[in-house]
Amino acid sequence: MNKKDIAQIRKQFKKENDLLKISSIFNVYITKESSEIYHHVSQPFEMLDGEQQELFFNNFKKLLGGNLDEKLFELKFNRNAENNSQLILHQGLLASDTEDWKERMLQMVGKMLLNRQYEKDIVITFIKGEYYKPTKRKNDEAEISERDAVYSFPFILCSINNTQEPKKELLFDYVEKEFKYNFVVDPIINLNAPIGGFLFPCFSDNAADVNHILYSAGKVHEPDYEFIVDVLNGEEIMTAKDDKIVFEEIIKDVTQDQLNTSTLSNVYEEINRMIEENEEEEHPRLDSKDVERVLKASGVEDISVEKVESAFQKVIDDDKYEIKASSVVPKYNSKSIKIDTKVAKISISPQDLRYVKQVQLSGKRYLMIEVEEDTVIEGFTMIPEAFGEKVEK
């Protein structure tokens, strides 16, 4: 799935929407002490009152919020896994009987509880629904409405949520004119911050892709690897943060960590150009040949494919690995590059990195920023100061 596909289905979670039909909702309550099912109940989603539906809709939208490879991850199933989740979920998707659907979801819950202790009571919510995506109209004069022809996508969505202790409160009774202590014993289900979940199947090119599942982490850059491998039986993943670290280590190895700011700026520009030229491709990737080409185009000398492949092998133990370009290039038109020094922290945009240099003067290192106008600090305009001697780069 790409970010557009995710955004499309995410915005469908709202009341009275004819493009989304949720047939069943199945809630399972798990106690932290025993890691066992305390209670479960399945019912038609339309039987919930409007306010309850709204709470769940917001929960599902939060689950599907965030960026790919940061909070959302498209996983490929490992078909050789025992008690394969792909098969369980596919059987649940095809189940026409409510009891059969519940049994498959309880199988998934069993996998979630195996060898795992949650810190709080949790509620696992499954919904079974169908998403209708209108086909594109050929022209504005077409007599057929865009909703007369749609793609149909049956799906299962799972949201995992913590519970929290109710607040102890002091109330004032206007009638009795007295203060009262109020304590509710029922735990509160925190639907505002799901701690994990998934959407099955993925959707790609207006077709269902049952070989992939969309996993949602509780926090950005913090996927639950045990959940991915043991529960969902997904193949191992690399986050955008991981990819960025791998890229940086490879570049350091190839250049012996001798890279000036102008060359680094060129590297980012080359990768950004590659992304723009392949805008039709959702996830352009950098293999060893691409990295070699980028470095050569950026002005790095004495570069070869063999040297880059060796760096790939050293850093990630795979000279055929491909890095997602979008993971390593800073966001242009934003101050996304951070420069940290002992005395100052500076944020600049990638295209302005070429104006920053580290120079040496009288045995000391300085950070020099080329500017075209007066520098203003806290409302005070700085006057130019001349160096006493020639600056050494």
Side-chain angles (χ1 to χ4, degrees):
M1 295 182 76
N2 57 38
K3 59 184 179 182
K4 187 175 181 180
D5 293 327
I6 296 170
Q8 280 285 79
I9 189 171
R10 184 175 180 267
K11 71 179 184 180
Q12 304 306 324
F13 287 101
K14 55 188 175 183
K15 291 193 296 183
E16 299 177 359
N17 178 18
D18 60 350
L19 292 179
L20 183 76
K21 177 177 174 56
I22 301 176
S23 55
S24 301
I25 182 168
F26 183 36
N27 287 307
V28 184
Y29 193 98
I30 310 295
T31 55
K32 64 179 180 181
E33 289 85 1
S34 62
S35 288
E36 294 179 351
I37 297 175
Y38 180 77
H39 178 68
H40 63 75
V41 59
S42 175
Q43 63 188 121
F45 189 78
E46 61 185 16
M47 295 299 290
L48 301 178
D49 63 42
E51 292 183 351
Q52 282 184 311
Q53 289 185 11
E54 195 65 49
L55 287 173
F56 280 112
F57 280 140
N58 289 333
N59 176 255
F60 303 150
K61 284 191 282 191
K62 288 181 181 295
L63 183 77
L64 297 178
N67 295 324
L68 282 165
D69 300 315
E70 294 181 2
K71 188 173 180 294
L72 301 174
F73 302 86
E74 183 176 275
L75 311 177
K76 184 179 181 180
F77 284 110
N78 177 5
R79 295 188 178 184
N80 297 321
E82 295 183 5
N83 193 24
N84 197 298
S85 291
Q86 180 183 17
L87 179 60
I88 296 171
L89 290 168
H90 196 240
Q91 289 173 334
L93 195 67
L94 298 177
S96 57
D97 179 75
T98 301
E99 291 303 315
D100 189 16
W101 136 260
K102 286 170 53 179
E103 181 181 345
R104 304 302 174 192
M105 296 308 100
L106 288 174
Q107 282 182 264
M108 292 300 300
V109 173
K111 296 184 70 171
M112 294 180 200
L113 300 181
L114 191 64
N115 302 321
R116 177 177 288 260
Q117 183 74 43
Y118 287 95
E119 296 179 356
K120 299 179 180 180
D121 289 4
I122 63 168
V123 173
I124 305 172
T125 299
F126 298 95
I127 58 169
K128 188 177 182 181
E130 196 160 3
Y131 161 48
Y132 304 100
K133 182 180 178 181
T135 58
K136 292 183 179 179
R137 291 169 57 180
K138 293 183 179 180
N139 56 66
D140 294 335
E141 298 178 358
E143 296 181 2
I144 300 176
S145 167
E146 63 173 1
R147 297 198 178 194
D148 289 343
V150 297
Y151 299 105
S152 174
F153 302 113
F155 68 89
I156 291 172
L157 182 142
C158 169
S159 178
I160 307 171
N161 300 276
N162 273 326
T163 62
Q164 56 192 42
E165 296 295 328
K167 293 181 180 179
K168 299 176 182 180
E169 299 174 314
L170 187 65
L171 306 179
F172 180 72
D173 188 327
Y174 272 98
V175 178
E176 300 295 333
K177 294 183 180 179
E178 61 180 358
F179 294 97
K180 291 183 177 180
Y181 174 70
N182 181 62
F183 177 61
V184 180
V185 296
D186 296 331
I188 298 170
I189 302 169
N190 184 9
L191 295 176
N192 290 319
I195 61 173
F198 59 83
L199 173 71
F200 174 83
C202 285
F203 310 125
S204 179
D205 297 325
N206 296 323
D209 179 6
V210 297
N211 294 314
H212 290 82
I213 185 169
L214 186 70
Y215 162 70
S216 173
K219 295 181 179 179
V220 174
H221 297 303
E222 294 185 18
D224 185 334
Y225 293 101
E226 290 185 6
F227 189 92
I228 288 172
V229 175
D230 298 335
V231 177
L232 299 180
N233 303 136
E235 295 184 351
E236 293 185 1
I237 60 167
M238 292 281 283
T239 68
K241 189 176 181 180
D242 294 334
D243 257 354
K244 189 173 188 299
I245 292 172
V246 167
F247 176 77
E248 290 171 354
E249 291 302 315
I250 288 171
I251 299 302
K252 288 178 183 178
D253 184 86
V254 172
T255 63
Q256 277 86 53
D257 207 5
Q258 298 294 312
L259 205 63
N260 60 39
T261 51
S262 295
T263 305
L264 183 58
S265 178
N266 291 338
V267 168
Y268 288 143
E269 284 188 6
E270 281 296 318
I271 298 175
N272 191 63
R273 185 179 297 113
M274 174 184 172
I275 294 173
E276 291 177 346
E277 289 175 353
N278 296 273
E279 59 182 353
E280 296 299 321
E281 184 182 350
E282 185 63 26
H283 305 298
R285 295 174 180 269
L286 299 164
D287 60 14
S288 56
K289 292 181 180 178
D290 292 318
V291 172
E292 182 236 2
R293 180 186 58 77
V294 165
L295 291 176
K296 278 187 175 179
S298 302
V300 179
E301 299 178 351
D302 191 25
I303 293 296
S304 66
V305 174
E306 291 75 21
K307 183 180 285 190
V308 177
E309 286 179 349
S310 175
F312 268 76
Q313 190 68 36
K314 188 184 299 184
V315 173
I316 199 170
D317 195 26
D318 183 1
D319 58 6
K320 304 301 181 187
Y321 183 74
E322 296 182 341
I323 304 168
K324 284 188 178 177
S326 58
S327 299
V328 302
V329 66
K331 295 179 180 178
Y332 270 58
N333 302 318
S334 66
K335 294 183 177 180
S336 54
I337 290 185
K338 310 299 180 187
I339 301 174
D340 290 339
T341 69
K342 186 177 180 180
V343 296
K345 295 183 183 296
I346 304 170
S347 299
I348 63 171
S349 58
Q351 58 266 40
D352 292 332
L353 184 58
R354 63 179 65 254
Y355 301 114
V356 180
K357 298 187 186 306
Q358 180 174 269
V359 300
Q360 193 155 326
L361 176 66
S362 301
K364 293 184 179 181
R365 283 179 291 184
Y366 293 84
L367 189 68
M368 184 173 72
I369 302 176
E370 180 185 338
V371 295
E372 296 180 351
E373 65 286 321
D374 289 335
T375 301
V376 179
I377 301 176
E378 293 292 329
F380 295 97
T381 300
M382 299 293 99
I383 60 173
E385 299 179 51
F387 279 117
E389 54 189 273
K390 185 179 178 181
V391 173
E392 301 173 4
K393 294 184 180 178

